[in-house]
């Protein structure tokens, strides 16, 4: 039978996982809601024409 208390004591998180967490928290990623809000705000602005 598995002794869960012993298994938890032996647990070591993967090094890659902690690096991944650090990278995610350091970067400011937009989620889908942020992207949709920005698209809607840009759609409400009048179009900009460039005369070059």
């Amino acid at each position: 039978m598995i002794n869960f208390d012993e298994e938890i004591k032996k647990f070591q998180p993967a090094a890659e996982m902690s690096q991944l967490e650090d990278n995610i928290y350091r970067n400011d990623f937009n989620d889908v809601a942020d992207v949709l809000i920005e698209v809607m705000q840009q759609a409400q602005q009048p179009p900009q024409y460039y005369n070059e």
Side-chain angles (χ1 to χ4, degrees), residues 5-49:
D5 292 330
E6 288 298 319
E7 293 299 321
I8 289 175
K9 288 178 186 175
K10 292 191 258 179
F11 176 74
Q12 295 286 325
E16 296 86 15
M17 188 59 76
S18 104
Q19 290 174 350
L20 177 64
E21 288 174 352
D22 291 343
N23 287 336
I24 289 171
Y25 289 122
R26 262 186 287 166
N27 294 316
D28 184 26
F29 291 114
N30 291 338
D31 63 2
V32 174
D34 293 334
V35 173
L36 288 175
I37 290 169
E38 182 152 346
V39 167
M40 290 171 47
Q41 288 173 345
Q42 288 179 3
Q44 292 174 352
Q45 296 176 357
Q48 297 178 355
Y49 298 104

